[in-house]
């Protein structure tokens, strides 16, 4: 009660108007009496020099100029349940001297690309090589491989190519020797003797350019070997147009009968025997109907039949040392044989003539 006898007034204050004491605050709380309320502190007025962006956008984050870049941020600055694994991975990578060095990742990527390129190149090379090997083995038989490879590709316009020249032994002449047993011609039977036994095939390869053609032989029972012999045109534009060539070779003959006193084996050599051939381009070939050569057009081994007439001959003239015969012992040449072998005139010839047409 107050001194004037009136009832005391109770002052009600809201919590916003009371300043409650705090446990850790050492100051005494203010006792509010008689309705006196402490004045609310005034906020200082905003400065006129406040940045324009803070006036309208007070919550905007601080901006950074191009002269002072923002703080660095790293993928490895991660906190949370997985931060330890990321930190361990970072340490393992950084501690690897090949990766931690300058350009480590680029080097690894480059090595991976090189390995991939090598694998692709090997795969492509093996595929192409196996394909070419398969094609080559299916088109050429071992028996048709030439003993001397030509220097040019045997494919191209006629007459470039590989040909089987199917002929018959037409005639045999033994005038260059005094003993006819010392000159023989494969297949040792003429067409007059046996049409079916007289067939003889030459497998030759023509290569080069139109005005620079060459011809080469392959394996053959005639023991005739030559390579890259020039092939020339004769009688061009006429009915007798033909390609011709001539090459010397050494013909070896095993006599058909004994030529020495003890009946031992002998071998006779005809050095500088001339091989001559004419490959016609207008005259057709003519196989006798009762000959086995009538079906010779179907040739295997990559050699196609020559589509025109052919004439091939081996010839040598008589003279001193024609032939030169020797005894044969265990496959080796021995003593010379002169008994019964007399030199013949140079105008006398020995020859083997092959053809596939009738003159």
């Amino acid at each position: 009660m107050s001194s004037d006898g009136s009832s005391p007034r109770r002052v009600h204050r809201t919590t916003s108007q009371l300043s409650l004491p705090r446990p850790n605050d050492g100051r005494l709380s203010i006792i509010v009496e008689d309705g006196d309320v402490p004045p609310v502190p005034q906020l200082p007025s905003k400065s006129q020099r406040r940045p324009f962006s803070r006036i309208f956008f007070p919550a905007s984050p601080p901006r950074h100029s191009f002269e002072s870049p923002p703080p660095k941020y790293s993928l490895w600055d991660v906190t949370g349940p997985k931060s330890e694994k990321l930190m361990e991975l970072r340490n393992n990578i950084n501690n690897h001297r090949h990766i931690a060095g300058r350009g480590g990742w680029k080097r690894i990527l480059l090595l991976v690309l090189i390995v991939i390129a090598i694998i692709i190149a090997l795969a492509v090379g093996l595929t192409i090589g196996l394909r070419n090997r398969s094609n080559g083995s299916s088109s050429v038989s071992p028996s048709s491989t030439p003993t001397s490879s030509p220097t040019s590709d045997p494919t191209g316009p006629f007459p470039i190519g590989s040909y089987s020249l199917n002929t018959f032994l037409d005639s045999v002449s033994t005038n260059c020797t005094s003993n006819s047993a010392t000159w023989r011609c494969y297949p040792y039977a003429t067409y007059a003797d046996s049409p079916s036994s007289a067939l003889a095939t030459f497998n030759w390869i023509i290569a080069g350019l139109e005005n620079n053609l060459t011809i080469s032989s392959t394996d053959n029972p005639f023991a005739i070997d030559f390579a890259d012999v020039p092939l020339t045109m004769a009688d061009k534009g006429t009915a007798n147009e033909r390609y011709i060539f001539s090459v010397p070779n050494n013909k070896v003959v095993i006599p058909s009968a004994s030529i020495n006193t003890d009946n031992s084996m002998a071998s006779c050599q005809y050095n500088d025997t001339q091989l001559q051939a004419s490959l016609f381009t207008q005259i057709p070939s003519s196989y006798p109907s009762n000959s086995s050569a009538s079906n010779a057009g179907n040739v295997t081994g990559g050699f196609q039949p020559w589509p025109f007439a052919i004439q091939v001959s081996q010839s040598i003239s008589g003279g001193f040392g024609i032939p030169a015969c020797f005894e044969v012992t265990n496959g080796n040449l021995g003593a010379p044989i002169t008994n019964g072998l007399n030199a013949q005139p140079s105008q006398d010839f020995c020859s083997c003539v092959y053809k596939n047409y009738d003159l």
Side-chain angles (χ1 to χ4, degrees):
M1 181 178 294
S2 64
S3 59
D4 55 1
S6 60
S7 298
R9 293 181 299 174
R10 292 184 179 179
V11 180
H12 297 279
R13 300 289 185 264
T14 62
T15 58
S16 60
Q17 295 175 327
L18 298 178
S19 176
L20 299 179
R22 289 175 293 182
N24 296 327
D25 195 349
R27 297 173 300 173
L28 296 176
S29 59
I30 300 174
I31 300 175
V32 180
E33 296 181 354
D34 301 326
D36 295 331
V37 178
V40 178
Q42 298 294 325
L43 295 176
S45 61
K46 295 181 179 180
S47 173
Q48 298 299 324
R49 301 180 63 183
R50 186 183 183 93
F52 181 80
S53 60
R54 297 293 300 273
I55 298 175
F56 294 94
F57 305 100
S60 298
R63 299 179 180 270
H64 302 277
S65 67
F66 66 92
E67 296 181 354
S68 58
K72 294 183 179 180
Y73 173 79
S74 174
L75 175 64
W76 310 109
D77 298 333
V78 179
T79 58
K82 297 183 179 180
S83 60
E84 295 181 357
K85 295 184 178 179
L86 292 176
M87 183 66 68
E88 182 180 358
L89 177 61
R90 182 191 64 177
N91 294 334
N92 291 337
I93 293 178
N94 290 337
N95 291 334
H96 198 289
R97 62 186 182 90
H98 296 291
I99 300 178
R102 179 178 298 179
W105 286 109
K106 294 182 180 179
R107 293 178 183 176
I108 293 177
L109 180 60
L110 181 60
L111 290 177
V112 171
L113 293 177
I114 291 175
V115 171
I116 294 175
I118 292 175
I119 294 174
I120 294 175
L122 290 176
V124 173
L126 289 175
T127 302
I128 296 176
L130 293 175
R131 184 179 302 171
N132 293 339
R133 181 178 180 182
S134 176
N135 294 338
S137 61
S138 62
S139 61
V140 180
S141 62
S143 61
S144 64
T145 303
T147 56
S148 300
S149 300
T151 58
S152 302
D153 185 3
T155 59
F158 182 83
I160 297 174
S162 302
Y163 296 99
S164 289
L165 286 71
N166 300 299
T167 65
F168 293 94
L169 178 59
D170 181 64
S171 63
V172 178
S173 177
T174 60
N175 295 334
C176 71
T177 177
S178 59
N179 189 336
S180 60
T182 62
W183 179 266
R184 304 178 67 193
C185 302
Y186 179 86
Y188 316 117
T190 63
Y191 175 77
D193 297 332
S194 174
S196 61
S197 300
L199 177 62
T201 301
F202 301 86
N203 290 328
W204 291 342
I205 299 175
I206 299 176
L209 303 176
E210 181 179 0
N211 297 325
N212 188 21
L213 297 173
T214 60
I215 189 167
S216 303
S217 67
T218 66
D219 291 338
N220 60 88
F222 307 92
I224 300 174
D225 296 327
F226 58 90
D228 298 330
V229 176
L231 191 64
T232 59
M233 171 70 74
D235 296 330
K236 185 176 182 179
T238 68
N240 290 326
E241 180 182 275
R242 62 197 182 277
Y243 291 100
I244 61 175
F245 74 95
S246 177
V247 60
N249 64 91
N250 296 331
K251 181 177 175 65
V252 179
V253 176
I254 303 299
S256 58
S258 177
I259 61 173
N260 51 15
T261 56
D262 59 357
N263 295 325
S264 62
M265 183 179 292
S267 174
C268 296
Q269 298 181 1
Y270 292 84
N271 297 328
D272 295 330
T273 300
Q274 291 295 315
L275 173 68
Q276 296 178 326
S278 296
L279 283 64
F280 293 89
T281 61
Q282 302 296 327
I283 300 176
S285 61
S286 58
Y287 293 112
S289 58
N290 61 344
S291 170
S292 62
S294 60
N295 296 323
N298 299 325
V299 179
T300 59
F303 289 81
Q304 57 182 325
W306 182 263
F308 301 102
I310 306 161
Q311 182 170 331
V312 181
S313 66
Q314 285 181 297
S315 63
I316 188 172
S317 63
F320 179 79
I322 304 298
C325 297
F326 302 88
E327 295 179 357
V328 177
T329 304
N330 296 326
N332 299 319
L333 296 180
I337 300 174
T338 58
N339 185 29
L341 297 177
N342 301 318
Q344 300 299 305
S346 59
Q347 63 269 23
D348 293 339
F349 284 83
C350 294
S351 64
C352 305
V353 178
Y354 304 87
K355 63 180 184 179
N356 65 349
Y357 66 98
D358 294 331
L359 293 176

